[in-house]
Amino acid sequence: MSITSGRRGKRLTRRLSQLYLGLALYGASSALLVRGGLGLEPWGVLHQGLAELTGLTMGVVSIIVGAVVLLLWIPLGQRPGLGTVSNVFVVGIAMDATLALVPDGHGWAVRITLLTCGIVLNGMATGLYIAARFGPGPRDGLMTGLHRRTGRSVRLVRTAIEVAVVATGFALGGSVGIGTVAYALAIGPLAQLFLRVFDIPPAATGSTAVAAGSPEHAILRR
């Protein structure tokens, strides 16, 4: 094996490790927000509302919603990558596993700790999996696809999607509260910070990534 091939192999191993660690931590962080009981991130509100309606676990609902959103990529001309497909399944599985292990928080000190840990861990997870450059998550791809098709700003498209998601989830019984606001304010700066920490520059001679995503466009969450 040549030195160049060895470096590529190590780089690919690091990227894959970051991808799956990031996705697993993302699911775990979402579960911590649930156990904190102070409000969820926008898509979490929808997942919880649908879980209340259907009786399914939040992880299973997350997988179903992710798959449906991924189907919406087809008319938008989006191409999924390894990270996109993995996102659909790994996040939901990790979420249910963490919910099974971590009990509901009782008392403000515990609940605030769970909320804080969930938000920070979510930012770290976002930086990890996006920096791996294996493609954006289904929800990010929907946002960027609509941005390209409509010509509207990413900020406007993201806001419209998340307002609709939160409103629908809240109507179905999802949890909206101070945690939802705290998440909205903190996740952008945290994700940007951890993206710089975990960034893996693209290889000069190309990459084995499948439909590698742009961290700048996907940074607004999965």
Side-chain angles (χ1 to χ4, degrees), residues 175-216:
S175 176
V176 176
I178 188 174
T180 308
V181 177
Y183 182 92
L185 294 174
I187 190 60
L190 284 171
Q192 290 286 358
L193 169 64
F194 286 112
L195 179 60
R196 289 194 294 268
V197 171
F198 298 117
D199 185 43
I200 305 174
T205 57
S207 172
T208 56
V210 180
S214 167
E216 291 75 16

Side-chain angles (χ1 to χ4, degrees), residues 103-162:
D104 287 329
H106 297 287
W108 280 102
V110 174
R111 295 173 73 186
I112 290 174
T113 298
L114 286 170
L115 171 65
T116 303
C117 290
I119 293 174
V120 174
L121 190 62
N122 194 279
M124 180 184 297
T126 301
L128 277 166
Y129 89 80
I130 289 178
R133 299 174 185 269
F134 277 107
R139 297 154 185 85
D140 283 325
L142 175 64
M143 176 184 65
T144 55
L146 288 172
H147 156 65
R148 283 197 296 268
R149 280 301 180 95
T150 65
R152 304 294 183 179
S153 69
V154 171
R155 183 184 299 273
L156 178 61
V157 172
R158 176 198 174 191
T159 299
I161 291 174
E162 294 195 347

Side-chain angles (χ1 to χ4, degrees), residues 10 28 32 37 42 73 86 89 93 97 120 125 152 156 163 186 220 222:
K10 289 180 180 179
L32 293 182
W73 281 33
S86 297
F89 298 99
I93 293 170
V120 174
R152 304 294 183 179
L156 178 61
V163 166
L220 299 176
R222 63 177 189 91

Side-chain angles (χ1 to χ4, degrees), residues 13 18 43 84 182 189 191 215:
T13 298
Q18 280 197 198
W43 285 94
T84 310

Side-chain angles (χ1 to χ4, degrees), residues 20-31 90 94 118 121-122 124-126 128:
Y20 289 107
L21 177 60
L23 294 178
L25 291 179
Y26 198 104
S29 68
S30 296
V90 177
L121 190 62
N122 194 279
M124 180 184 297
T126 301
L128 277 166

